[in-house]
Amino acid sequence: MLVATPTTPSLALELLRCDMAHFAQLDESNVVTQVIVVNNSDCGDLPFPESEPVGIAYIETFLPGYSWKQTSYNGNFRKRYAGIGDTYSVEYDAFVQPKPYDDWVFSVPDLKYVPPIPMPNDGGTYAWDQETHTWVSVKVPVTVIGE
């Protein structure tokens, strides 16, 4: 069993290249407190969702007493890869990122919070300015190499 945490990013990146399963630890409010990585063989080499109960049983042999949900690094299930601070939604069987601002609203089709004003759809690059409640055009620097 290998555990990758935010403090070991190089280990985490190396593990993600392998056939590994990822599990999110949830607190009593279903908030993700950590994500661990285990070998697929520890999940019976089964596909999701069959792998989940097998993987949880394995994890409970060394980290008992916690609630776990399997997550997909590629977002193949549960909408997105679980991150620390995300919440597992039982209603949608998905991981939802935290609400960034009080006035943002939950978009059911996307299962994420969106600003109260849609971003302009003119091909530009924008950033949300919470102070003015507007989208602000931002310039993206372009570097030309080889001229």
Side-chain angles (χ1 to χ4, degrees), residues 65-76:
Y66 297 101
S67 178
W68 298 93
K69 287 291 178 183
Q70 191 168 357
T71 185
S72 169
Y73 182 72
N74 298 318
N76 293 332

Side-chain angles (χ1 to χ4, degrees), residues 20-26 36 38-61 66-72 77-78 80 82 88-90 93-95:
M20 305 297 262
H22 304 81
F23 287 83
Q25 180 184 15
L26 308 176
I36 66 169
V38 299
N39 289 311
N40 276 349
S41 62
D42 296 321
C43 298
D45 286 317
L46 297 167
F48 180 83
E50 292 86 2
S51 59
E52 185 173 57
V54 177
I56 290 171
Y58 170 72
I59 293 166
E60 288 177 342
T61 64
Y66 297 101
S67 178
W68 298 93
K69 287 291 178 183
Q70 191 168 357
T71 185
S72 169
F77 50 86
R78 299 208 164 113
R80 65 182 46 81
Y88 171 71
S89 168
V90 174
D93 188 28
F95 291 101

Side-chain angles (χ1 to χ4, degrees), residues 1 10 12 22 28 50 52 54 71 73 75 114 129 138-139 141 143 146:
M1 191 259 342
S10 60
H22 304 81
E28 61 281 346
E50 292 86 2
E52 185 173 57
V54 177
T71 185
Y73 182 72
V114 296
D129 183 340
V138 293
K139 302 290 183 213
T143 303

